[in-house]
Amino acid sequence: MTAENELEIKEAFQRAQKAHNNKAKLVASLKNRYVKLEDKSEFHEEFLRCLKYAMIIYTREPAVENVIDFAVKFAVSFETPVNEEEEEEEEEEDISFLNFLFNFLLESHGASSHAVRFRVCQLVNKLLGSLSESAQIDDDLCERIHEVMLIRVTDKYPNVRIQAALAMARLQDPSNEHCPTIKAYILLLDNDSNPEVRRAVLSCIAPSAFTLPKIYKRTRDVKEKVRKLAYQVLAEKVHIRALTIAQRVSLLHQGLNDSADSVKDVVKTDLLPAWLQLLQGDVLQLLHRLDVENCAETAVSALHALFSMMTTFDELLQNGPQLDERKLIPVDSLSCENVLYWRALCEFIKSKGAEGEELLERLLPEPAIFAEYLYSYLKSVPLMSEEEKADMTQLELVMTKEFIGQQLILLVGCLDTSEEGGRKRVLAVLQEMLVLPNTPLSLIGQLVQKLVGMLQDDQQRIAVIAEIISDVREPIVSVDDTVDENEKRKKQVRLAEVKVRIVESKQALEECISCQDFGRAAELKDSISQLEELRAKISLEASQADHIKEQRVEKSWLSGVELGHSTVSSLDSTKNDPETLLKCLTMCAEVIKRMNINRGICPTMNALIESLILPSVSNANPTVRNMAVVCVGTAALHSRDLANTHLVLLLQITQLDEPKVRISALRALIDQLLLNGINILQDKSTPQPSQAPDLLDSIDGQATQPSEEDEESPVQSVLKMLSEFLDSEISELRTETAEGLAKLMYCGRIVSAKLFSRLVLLWYNPVTEDDQRLRHCLGVFLQLYARESRAHQECVEQSFLLSMRTLFNAPVTSPLSEIDTSNVAELFVELTRPSALIQPAAIQGASVHESLAVRLCNEILRDASAPEVRLYCKTLGCLEISTEPGPANNELQQLLTEILQAVKDKYCIRAVEKVLSQLQGCRSAPTEAQDTVLAALDHNASEAVKDEEAKSKRARKGQKKVTVAKAAKKSCKMKESSDESDEENVPDAPPVMRPSRCAKTAALTKTKQDLTALMNKEASP
């Protein structure tokens, strides 16, 4: 090739580095030069020589990116559209250049330099992406590209994997379940640790029946950007019909309640409008797709999100419910969707305050009218028998009516009850609906809430509810007086007949005696005796009937209930069936919750407790017992005397009843301990000091009150019982116990190293892996508890050796044997780190880490040949130990010297020597980087303490893993990993001051990469 041609190619590459140059002109000029050449090989070599200078640079410099784009545009310019007819020779020339460039890239993909591998994948990605949809590539070449990119998606460097994944976007076959690209994408989504790689795969994976579950799963990713992109992909590429109802509800529930505002905004601005557009803007149809009967609150949140995006109130009324002239939805037109939309719209407008008062008047009628509307609808809900409940169709209809009634009851909160007349009518209707026998049990709680909410005084609330309970348990029964009169007349006639027969028999008896017919006289005497007994019996029945009739119910006369000749009377019978008791107990529970906790228990409530709640605790129906236990536990919070009286009952229930009832009793017990302290478990006769600390370490055998050796104190017995519940096979009971103990420890009611150790091991235990609530609760507790105060860190420090011994001594068959002990040790080191305290203060004496170091040294000296000594020595190197001279420093140096003489393992000796040299003030290598100690911590827990987010990395809890932070031995690898981060994978960094614009310009000029000097240097001999 001549010098002129060399200059032409070099000049084109030099100009391509500048962003202001027109690359289309450069491509056209270079293509004209290429077409005129007969021998293309020299051109190819020179082109690759210039391109290689850009391929060896890893950072995303603007000049390098411009050269890459220029090379791609030049190569793609040879593509021939399918509809154009050109000469075969020219077509072969075009294909030869593309094949030549692809072959070069594919041969270079295995280079040792990660920069070259990155640029190869980037060029392949841009080349394939720039080709038209009708472009054709040789099958063999396509297979080679596919194979190479499948290799590169497993590259060590994230940016290489990103470009390889993007390059395979046009090579995937969504309809083929066994497509290698789809399998590679799924593998990256599930297992790749880099969030940018997962984002890249999400952006290019094609939704299908095989990939949709994986895309859906990324909406629960630990990284905010990945979750956001997953919602965007679902909004843009997935039809709402492709998702199940459960998936739709879950997407809205998690998205609208996400901790990141950006994810919430995507759901509001992208996902919901996209679904609504697919349904032609029909909001009711969208609600129908969500099955609002089972996810009412999620549907309301979605509606509020849609309402918040509307700018004017008129837009809110466009899709509003169709109301009649009374401002009500006709009963025949009521459905789950429109009544929920009505309720959500009214609540949203009411939340606007004075701005929405006028609009709210257009949506709701007067309170009295709405009360009658609600009463008439609830009265129409049928009371189902056992046979009707077996009919699923009938059961679904009744459940639909109950749901509609529930929404109408919630609408009562939006009514304007400031007017006295309407307010009284609403109160009266609510009371009548509570007394109705066909009112569903599922609506009782909400009716009581609305009723109690409209009454301001506690005494009035209790009196009203007590009266309603009395009416429900002792209903008024209608008795027909006409029937009573007829029966009385018949009895009188019969009594008269008996009297006549008695008189006749006596006369006959006298005649027989006068005639001395003594046999006949004896028969008559017996007959007279029988008739006398019959007369007495008839008279007694008549007197009882008169007595019952006189017992009129005064209420019925006061209310003036008269039906013709019939009046209303009470039959002195109390209903104790499970439905009635459950209804009454539900009302009691709701009113107790609304009582002022400082006023105690009034006499009326005491009467309800004695006559209704306590007898129901021993009811045969478990649902009734459960509600009774809830009432007892709630009422005990209002009175310490009541709590002392029934605490033993709650303790018995936690051990003997069914799981659901046991959990309710356990919650009541935990609430008592949180409110009144652990001393409530002591004997009543034992006086308690007023200033005694409310602390306990019962598991360690130290109680606030001394007890005999052969008898456990009540506190120890209760905490021993709670500790046993942590091993329960009932997951709900185990979770509730763990949550309760965590609350007690965090509030300072209990201080116990053994209990803390039990909670840590329970959190790591593989058995609890599927219990998300337990894992989340303990994950939050462990961080917040340890960082709350120095005293809490000392408790954590005391539990370290207890936890480690338990793990080391666990048998092979135990699930604890699967736990990674090194990860547990790292967790304790992080929890006890002095810098982790929320409010660090000046600490006098040794720090917690120094105390832990002394414990570890003593444990090592107990048995220097034990296998766990290696872990203890490694843990010593991770502690923050002060190097200032002092008694603690000297003591620790002495212990470390003794360890050096006792241990024989080289690893242990090096670790101990390193710590000893630091204490002696010698210059030592940098300490090991903080490992992913809180790796198993729940992501939501790590967000609660954001300063540790850069250190935490999620791992599968309860199973062994390999620690990754070994900076002292792998500093070169850390340097490489830091070099790979660029704009696509930026690690979290501490906030710095923002430089000025001049400083930015100067820095950019200094760091700007220019390939011209390199190319000129290479060209000159």
Side-chain angles (χ1 to χ4, degrees), residues 14 25 50 60 70 179 277 378 386 388 446 516 520-521 567 640 649 785 794 851 894 924 949 972 1006 1009:
Q14 290 174 349
K25 291 183 178 180
C50 296
R60 307 295 292 269
F70 167 73
C179 175
Q277 184 178 4
L378 291 184
E386 294 298 330
E388 292 176 338
Q446 292 180 341
Q516 296 183 356
R520 174 65 177 165
T567 57
R640 189 181 178 93
L649 175 63
Y785 179 78
E794 292 175 353
S851 302
Q894 183 179 357
S924 60
E949 186 176 0
C972 58
K1006 290 181 180 180
Q1009 185 72 42

Tab-separated table of all heavy atoms in Angstrom, residues 14 25 50 60 70 179 277 378 386 388 446 516 520-521 567 640 649 785 794 851 894 924 949 972 1006 1009:
chain	number	residue	atom	x	y	z
A	14	GLN	N	-7.910	9.478	12.833
A	14	GLN	CA	-7.605	10.648	13.650
A	14	GLN	C	-8.777	11.612	13.702
A	14	GLN	O	-9.094	12.165	14.750
A	14	GLN	CB	-6.358	11.338	13.092
A	14	GLN	CG	-5.081	10.548	13.292
A	14	GLN	CD	-3.886	11.185	12.608
A	14	GLN	OE1	-4.056	12.118	11.812
A	14	GLN	NE2	-2.684	10.685	12.891
A	25	LYS	N	-19.400	11.393	6.423
A	25	LYS	CA	-18.510	11.788	5.329
A	25	LYS	C	-17.205	11.002	5.376
A	25	LYS	O	-16.671	10.599	4.342
A	25	LYS	CB	-18.228	13.283	5.406
A	25	LYS	CG	-19.427	14.158	5.090
A	25	LYS	CD	-19.046	15.622	5.115
A	25	LYS	CE	-20.243	16.509	4.750
A	25	LYS	NZ	-19.884	17.953	4.772
A	50	CYS	N	-4.868	0.410	13.039
A	50	CYS	CA	-5.423	1.619	13.671
A	50	CYS	C	-6.493	1.275	14.707
A	50	CYS	O	-6.622	1.943	15.738
A	50	CYS	CB	-5.990	2.542	12.596
A	50	CYS	SG	-4.754	3.177	11.441
A	60	ARG	N	-13.689	4.193	29.323
A	60	ARG	CA	-14.619	4.707	28.310
A	60	ARG	C	-14.286	6.151	27.967
A	60	ARG	O	-15.034	7.083	28.274
A	60	ARG	CB	-16.054	4.595	28.825
A	60	ARG	CG	-16.453	3.215	29.306
A	60	ARG	CD	-16.457	2.193	28.189
A	60	ARG	NE	-17.492	2.434	27.214
A	60	ARG	CZ	-18.713	1.909	27.282
A	60	ARG	NH1	-19.044	1.121	28.291
A	60	ARG	NH2	-19.622	2.162	26.359
A	70	PHE	N	-16.983	4.826	14.754
A	70	PHE	CA	-16.602	5.020	13.356
A	70	PHE	C	-16.316	3.681	12.669
A	70	PHE	O	-16.748	3.448	11.527
A	70	PHE	CB	-15.366	5.932	13.287
A	70	PHE	CG	-14.704	5.948	11.949
A	70	PHE	CD1	-15.289	6.606	10.869
A	70	PHE	CD2	-13.492	5.281	11.741
A	70	PHE	CE1	-14.668	6.608	9.618
A	70	PHE	CE2	-12.884	5.280	10.504
A	70	PHE	CZ	-13.474	5.947	9.444
A	179	CYS	N	-33.095	-22.845	24.042
A	179	CYS	CA	-32.189	-21.896	23.387
A	179	CYS	C	-31.008	-21.591	24.315
A	179	CYS	O	-31.207	-21.209	25.482
A	179	CYS	CB	-32.934	-20.601	23.044
A	179	CYS	SG	-31.876	-19.306	22.370
A	277	GLN	N	-53.986	1.540	29.535
A	277	GLN	CA	-54.080	1.749	28.087
A	277	GLN	C	-54.454	0.452	27.368
A	277	GLN	O	-55.211	0.466	26.399
A	277	GLN	CB	-52.744	2.282	27.568
A	277	GLN	CG	-52.760	2.634	26.083
A	277	GLN	CD	-51.439	3.191	25.613
A	277	GLN	OE1	-50.479	3.247	26.378
A	277	GLN	NE2	-51.382	3.617	24.358
A	378	LEU	N	-77.572	-4.278	53.933
A	378	LEU	CA	-77.098	-5.312	54.860
A	378	LEU	C	-78.236	-6.216	55.321
A	378	LEU	O	-78.020	-7.400	55.614
A	378	LEU	CB	-76.418	-4.661	56.071
A	378	LEU	CG	-75.086	-3.965	55.807
A	378	LEU	CD1	-74.493	-3.448	57.096
A	378	LEU	CD2	-74.107	-4.904	55.136
A	386	GLU	N	-75.825	-24.539	57.052
A	386	GLU	CA	-74.674	-25.393	56.754
A	386	GLU	C	-74.778	-26.011	55.371
A	386	GLU	O	-73.777	-26.180	54.674
A	386	GLU	CB	-74.557	-26.486	57.821
A	386	GLU	CG	-74.225	-25.962	59.202
A	386	GLU	CD	-72.879	-25.264	59.238
A	386	GLU	OE1	-71.996	-25.641	58.448
A	386	GLU	OE2	-72.712	-24.341	60.051
A	388	GLU	N	-76.315	-24.689	52.758
A	388	GLU	CA	-76.076	-23.647	51.763
A	388	GLU	C	-74.588	-23.281	51.673
A	388	GLU	O	-74.097	-22.914	50.605
A	388	GLU	CB	-76.893	-22.403	52.104
A	388	GLU	CG	-78.393	-22.606	51.948
A	388	GLU	CD	-79.175	-21.391	52.396
A	388	GLU	OE1	-78.622	-20.590	53.189
A	388	GLU	OE2	-80.324	-21.235	51.968
A	446	GLN	N	-65.853	-3.931	61.754
A	446	GLN	CA	-65.886	-2.614	61.107
A	446	GLN	C	-67.083	-1.788	61.567
A	446	GLN	O	-66.971	-0.571	61.723
A	446	GLN	CB	-65.915	-2.795	59.597
A	446	GLN	CG	-64.624	-3.374	59.049
A	446	GLN	CD	-64.667	-3.560	57.553
A	446	GLN	OE1	-65.747	-3.584	56.971
A	446	GLN	NE2	-63.517	-3.703	56.928
A	516	GLN	N	-123.621	-50.161	101.515
A	516	GLN	CA	-122.594	-51.079	102.002
A	516	GLN	C	-121.964	-51.888	100.867
A	516	GLN	O	-121.581	-53.042	101.024
A	516	GLN	CB	-123.183	-52.028	103.060
A	516	GLN	CG	-123.658	-51.305	104.302
A	516	GLN	CD	-124.173	-52.276	105.352
A	516	GLN	OE1	-124.248	-53.497	105.126
A	516	GLN	NE2	-124.533	-51.733	106.526
A	520	ARG	N	-117.179	-51.511	95.415
A	520	ARG	CA	-117.378	-50.400	94.469
A	520	ARG	C	-116.879	-49.095	95.067
A	520	ARG	O	-116.319	-48.236	94.361
A	520	ARG	CB	-118.871	-50.314	94.144
A	520	ARG	CG	-119.284	-49.131	93.302
A	520	ARG	CD	-118.678	-49.190	91.922
A	520	ARG	NE	-119.131	-48.075	91.097
A	520	ARG	CZ	-118.581	-47.695	89.975
A	520	ARG	NH1	-117.493	-48.372	89.518
A	520	ARG	NH2	-119.054	-46.683	89.290
A	521	ALA	N	-117.035	-48.944	96.371
A	521	ALA	CA	-116.594	-47.721	97.043
A	521	ALA	C	-115.066	-47.581	96.948
A	521	ALA	O	-114.530	-46.483	96.759
A	521	ALA	CB	-117.028	-47.724	98.499
A	567	THR	N	-98.266	-8.950	71.486
A	567	THR	CA	-97.251	-8.122	72.138
A	567	THR	C	-95.972	-8.892	72.191
A	567	THR	O	-95.918	-10.097	71.933
A	567	THR	CB	-97.702	-7.733	73.560
A	567	THR	OG1	-97.954	-8.925	74.279
A	567	THR	CG2	-98.939	-6.858	73.526
A	640	ARG	N	-53.404	-3.529	85.904
A	640	ARG	CA	-52.345	-4.411	86.403
A	640	ARG	C	-52.929	-5.496	87.293
A	640	ARG	O	-52.449	-6.642	87.292
A	640	ARG	CB	-51.301	-3.597	87.152
A	640	ARG	CG	-50.048	-4.379	87.515
A	640	ARG	CD	-49.059	-3.530	88.282
A	640	ARG	NE	-47.879	-4.293	88.660
A	640	ARG	CZ	-46.763	-4.360	87.961
A	640	ARG	NH1	-46.669	-3.695	86.823
A	640	ARG	NH2	-45.731	-5.077	88.372
A	649	LEU	N	-53.472	-17.916	83.799
A	649	LEU	CA	-54.357	-18.475	82.777
A	649	LEU	C	-53.725	-18.347	81.386
A	649	LEU	O	-53.733	-19.298	80.593
A	649	LEU	CB	-55.703	-17.746	82.820
A	649	LEU	CG	-56.716	-18.124	81.726
A	649	LEU	CD1	-57.121	-19.582	81.845
A	649	LEU	CD2	-57.942	-17.220	81.811
A	785	TYR	N	-30.064	-3.647	67.693
A	785	TYR	CA	-29.767	-3.942	69.101
A	785	TYR	C	-28.304	-3.684	69.412
A	785	TYR	O	-27.966	-3.029	70.406
A	785	TYR	CB	-30.128	-5.395	69.397
A	785	TYR	CG	-29.835	-5.813	70.823
A	785	TYR	CD1	-30.678	-5.457	71.865
A	785	TYR	CD2	-28.707	-6.578	71.126
A	785	TYR	CE1	-30.418	-5.840	73.169
A	785	TYR	CE2	-28.430	-6.962	72.426
A	785	TYR	CZ	-29.284	-6.596	73.444
A	785	TYR	OH	-29.023	-6.968	74.732
A	794	GLU	N	-21.837	-5.291	74.866
A	794	GLU	CA	-21.249	-6.199	75.848
A	794	GLU	C	-22.030	-7.501	75.931
A	794	GLU	O	-21.443	-8.582	76.085
A	794	GLU	CB	-21.198	-5.512	77.211
A	794	GLU	CG	-20.213	-4.344	77.269
A	794	GLU	CD	-20.275	-3.626	78.600
A	794	GLU	OE1	-21.171	-3.959	79.415
A	794	GLU	OE2	-19.439	-2.726	78.840
A	851	SER	N	-12.077	-6.508	75.105
A	851	SER	CA	-12.596	-7.553	75.992
A	851	SER	C	-12.809	-8.855	75.230
A	851	SER	O	-12.522	-9.947	75.744
A	851	SER	CB	-13.915	-7.093	76.622
A	851	SER	OG	-13.756	-5.900	77.339
A	894	GLN	N	0.789	-10.177	76.747
A	894	GLN	CA	1.228	-11.349	77.494
A	894	GLN	C	0.456	-12.597	77.059
A	894	GLN	O	1.045	-13.670	76.880
A	894	GLN	CB	1.054	-11.096	78.988
A	894	GLN	CG	1.556	-12.233	79.872
A	894	GLN	CD	1.386	-11.916	81.345
A	894	GLN	OE1	0.947	-10.827	81.707
A	894	GLN	NE2	1.763	-12.865	82.197
A	924	SER	N	3.245	-2.600	60.384
A	924	SER	CA	2.715	-3.860	59.874
A	924	SER	C	1.917	-3.614	58.625
A	924	SER	O	1.616	-2.485	58.258
A	924	SER	CB	1.832	-4.536	60.929
A	924	SER	OG	0.762	-3.686	61.268
A	949	GLU	N	-24.078	-0.256	54.337
A	949	GLU	CA	-24.516	-0.848	53.071
A	949	GLU	C	-23.352	-1.170	52.157
A	949	GLU	O	-23.380	-2.132	51.397
A	949	GLU	CB	-25.475	0.105	52.370
A	949	GLU	CG	-26.086	-0.496	51.123
A	949	GLU	CD	-27.104	0.413	50.493
A	949	GLU	OE1	-27.318	1.496	51.040
A	949	GLU	OE2	-27.651	0.038	49.458
A	972	CYS	N	-3.302	-7.554	44.757
A	972	CYS	CA	-3.241	-7.352	43.311
A	972	CYS	C	-4.597	-7.578	42.686
A	972	CYS	O	-4.989	-6.870	41.757
A	972	CYS	CB	-2.197	-8.272	42.702
A	972	CYS	SG	-2.513	-10.023	43.021
A	1006	LYS	N	-6.519	16.998	31.179
A	1006	LYS	CA	-5.350	16.208	31.540
A	1006	LYS	C	-5.548	14.725	31.263
A	1006	LYS	O	-4.625	14.025	30.856
A	1006	LYS	CB	-5.013	16.424	33.013
A	1006	LYS	CG	-4.468	17.806	33.324
A	1006	LYS	CD	-4.150	17.924	34.800
A	1006	LYS	CE	-3.599	19.310	35.129
A	1006	LYS	NZ	-3.273	19.438	36.569
A	1009	GLN	N	-7.822	11.058	26.501
A	1009	GLN	CA	-6.996	10.109	25.756
A	1009	GLN	C	-7.000	10.477	24.277
A	1009	GLN	O	-8.056	10.664	23.681
A	1009	GLN	CB	-7.554	8.685	25.948
A	1009	GLN	CG	-6.711	7.602	25.322
A	1009	GLN	CD	-5.415	7.386	26.089
A	1009	GLN	OE1	-5.417	7.377	27.291
A	1009	GLN	NE2	-4.312	7.238	25.379
